[in-house]
Amino acid sequence: MSLNWFRFVSPSVKKPPFHLNYFTSSFGFSSVVVAMSYDKELAAAKKAASLAARLCQKVQKALLQSDVQSKNDRSPVTVADYGSQAVVSFVLQQEFPGEFSLVAEEDSKDLRQDGAQEIVDRITKLVNDSLTSDGSYSVTLSTEDVLKAIDSGKSEGGSEGRHWVLDPIDGTKGFLRGDQYAIALALLDKGKVVLGVLACPNLPLTSISSADGHSSRHEVGCLFYAEIGGGTYMQPLDCSSTVKVQVSAVENPEEASFFESYEAAHSMHDLSSLIAQKLGVKAAPVRIDSQAKYGALSRGDGAIYLRLPHKGYREKIWDHAAGYIVVTEAGGVVTDAAGKPLDFSKGKYLDLDTGIIVTNQKLMPLLFKAVRESVEEKDSSL
């Protein structure tokens, strides 16, 4: 059943098994906003992302141990990317065998070309190993099964019905370097993000303290998850413990630190620097690949995230959907550079003004002002 928000007024309300927000009217009646729970969908998303993370960890470990890996050889991330998408697609279809819609980054076109059989075989073995690794599934998928699972991600999304949104490896360059990447999975219901999961295999369980965002290799691997109206939580990838997280409460921009993309090609570092200058931010930017930035910000590692891509670039929904709800449910605010909320109901792309800005509610007015002034200055200098 789709999410239906509705409001009713009752003199006495018994608590049903839904998420509730209570308000008191001037007449003394209780007005209640009710949302159906997505607990089953969230459990499936966590399982899918965790199994996909296990597959990616296995591939990255082999990559980093190899002495002969060429810097230009992208086959490891190709295998992990496709394998991750196949695992997530399979798990979700097993858990929800009825109507299924997945908006995802990959399809099997290149894998069906001549000369791709060796990679397809590697992907198939990894997928089967991952699905059976914890006893959740007793299956052996054929190569065609795997290719079909990958091709299940061809949905266009939109404002009607439910759509899963997946980036099977967000941060492919980070993956190849042995740094940060994320498996990012979200669910849209009528165009609204209602849950999100970020599996970040290399993100430390404790706060990032260094200015370069590299993992310490001690106790790494985080799973962030959020359901609409339910807050944001973090677990180790083995789900051995759970903590509720909140964005930074910093109010003074001089005390704030900010995240931006590791790759200069992904975000205008010079514009970010100008914004930080106007705010009086003293700390150097923390540059991290992938939506791991959203996860780190949701637990207060930094106070600001700036994503300011070069002109002409269009953001895809899978690059932000999971991170968006992880931060907003942790008390943060996510808008475009014009202060408008992100709209995930228009298909595969986000229509944005300039870029995306993320912070807490106290800092947002100051950040927004600094962003607008900096954008205008940059435009006038061209």
Side-chain angles (χ1 to χ4, degrees):
M1 182 176 180
S2 297
L3 171 73
N4 289 308
W5 289 94
F6 57 93
R7 179 171 288 187
F8 64 89
V9 178
S10 169
S12 62
V13 180
K14 290 184 178 180
K15 187 176 179 182
F18 304 133
H19 295 309
L20 302 179
N21 290 312
Y22 289 88
F23 301 90
T24 302
S25 73
S26 57
F27 301 102
F29 292 99
S30 295
S31 178
V32 186
V33 177
V34 183
M36 286 201 65
S37 170
Y38 291 91
D39 290 351
K40 183 181 178 185
E41 290 82 355
L42 182 59
K46 288 170 62 181
K47 177 190 283 189
S50 296
L51 290 174
R54 194 170 299 172
L55 180 151
C56 294
Q57 284 176 306
K58 189 172 183 179
V59 176
Q60 193 183 57
K61 183 179 178 182
L63 165 68
L64 298 178
Q65 288 176 343
S66 171
D67 293 327
V68 296
Q69 188 64 50
S70 164
K71 288 184 180 178
N72 296 319
D73 183 1
R74 293 179 58 85
S75 60
V77 76
T78 299
V79 168
D81 218 9
Y82 285 118
S84 174
Q85 182 158 316
V87 165
V88 171
S89 174
F90 174 84
V91 171
L92 294 179
Q93 289 186 78
Q94 288 294 301
E95 300 299 323
F96 306 101
E99 289 185 22
F100 177 74
S101 173
L102 176 66
V103 185
E105 191 168 16
E106 308 299 343
D107 63 51
S108 73
K109 181 180 177 183
D110 290 343
L111 296 178
R112 295 180 184 273
Q113 303 296 318
D114 291 341
Q117 191 58 48
E118 183 184 346
I119 282 183
V120 173
D121 289 343
R122 286 171 63 194
I123 294 169
T124 302
K125 184 178 187 313
L126 279 164
V127 168
N128 281 318
D129 289 348
S130 299
L131 291 173
T132 58
S133 60
D134 68 347
S136 294
Y137 301 99
S138 180
V139 294
T140 302
L141 302 185
S142 67
T143 55
E144 186 59 29
D145 292 334
V146 169
L147 294 175
K148 284 181 178 177
I150 293 168
D151 282 335
S152 296
K154 290 182 177 178
S155 171
E156 293 294 320
S159 60
E160 298 299 320
R162 289 186 177 188
H163 307 282
W164 292 96
V165 179
L166 171 69
D167 194 335
I169 292 186
D170 185 32
T172 52
K173 291 184 178 178
F175 180 90
L176 286 169
R177 286 197 311 273
D179 283 341
Q180 300 302 331
Y181 67 97
I183 295 88
L185 179 62
L187 178 63
L188 302 183
D189 197 339
K190 290 188 170 66
K192 304 292 185 185
V193 185
V194 295
L195 69 83
V197 176
L198 289 175
C200 307
N202 288 339
L203 192 68
L205 289 167
T206 54
S207 177
I208 298 169
S209 56
S210 64
D212 60 8
H214 293 286
S215 61
S216 65
R217 298 298 169 196
H218 298 292
E219 294 189 286
V220 298
C222 302
L223 186 76
F224 297 91
Y225 61 91
E227 181 181 348
I228 191 166
T232 298
Y233 296 84
M234 183 186 77
Q235 296 178 322
L237 281 176
D238 64 6
C239 301
S240 57
S241 60
T242 305
V243 293
K244 190 170 186 177
V245 296
Q246 289 285 322
V247 296
S248 168
V250 167
E251 297 183 28
N252 182 352
E254 290 186 8
E255 299 170 5
S257 60
F258 71 95
F259 294 121
E260 62 182 0
S261 299
Y262 187 93
E263 299 287 339
H266 294 168
S267 191
M268 293 183 283
H269 287 171
D270 58 339
L271 182 56
S272 297
S273 179
L274 182 58
I275 293 165
Q277 236 179 353
K278 286 186 177 296
L279 284 170
V281 173
K282 294 177 179 176
V286 179
R287 291 173 178 161
I288 311 178
D289 299 283
S290 84
Q291 287 180 72
K293 291 184 284 292
Y294 279 110
L297 193 139
S298 77
R299 69 184 185 189
D301 287 10
I304 297 168
Y305 166 34
L306 302 172
R307 166 85 172 191
L308 305 165
H310 296 274
K311 206 158 194 171
Y313 181 81
R314 294 185 73 194
E315 296 282 3
K316 291 90 164 177
I317 60 173
W318 53 70
D319 285 326
H320 298 283
Y324 167 85
I325 193 168
V326 162
V327 165
T328 56
E329 283 297 320
V333 185
V334 184
T335 73
D336 73 5
K340 294 182 293 187
L342 306 191
D343 185 352
F344 293 91
S345 70
K346 305 296 186 184
K348 290 185 175 181
Y349 293 94
L350 292 168
D351 292 323
L352 303 171
D353 183 317
T354 307
I356 294 173
I357 57 178
V358 187
T359 189
N360 62 36
Q361 295 188 25
K362 296 281 189 182
L363 284 176
M364 183 54 89
L366 294 171
L367 176 60
F368 175 69
K369 182 174 181 287
V371 168
R372 296 316 301 169
E373 288 177 357
S374 300
V375 169
E376 287 169 12
E377 277 185 32
K378 187 174 173 64
D379 288 347
S380 65
S381 67
L382 296 177

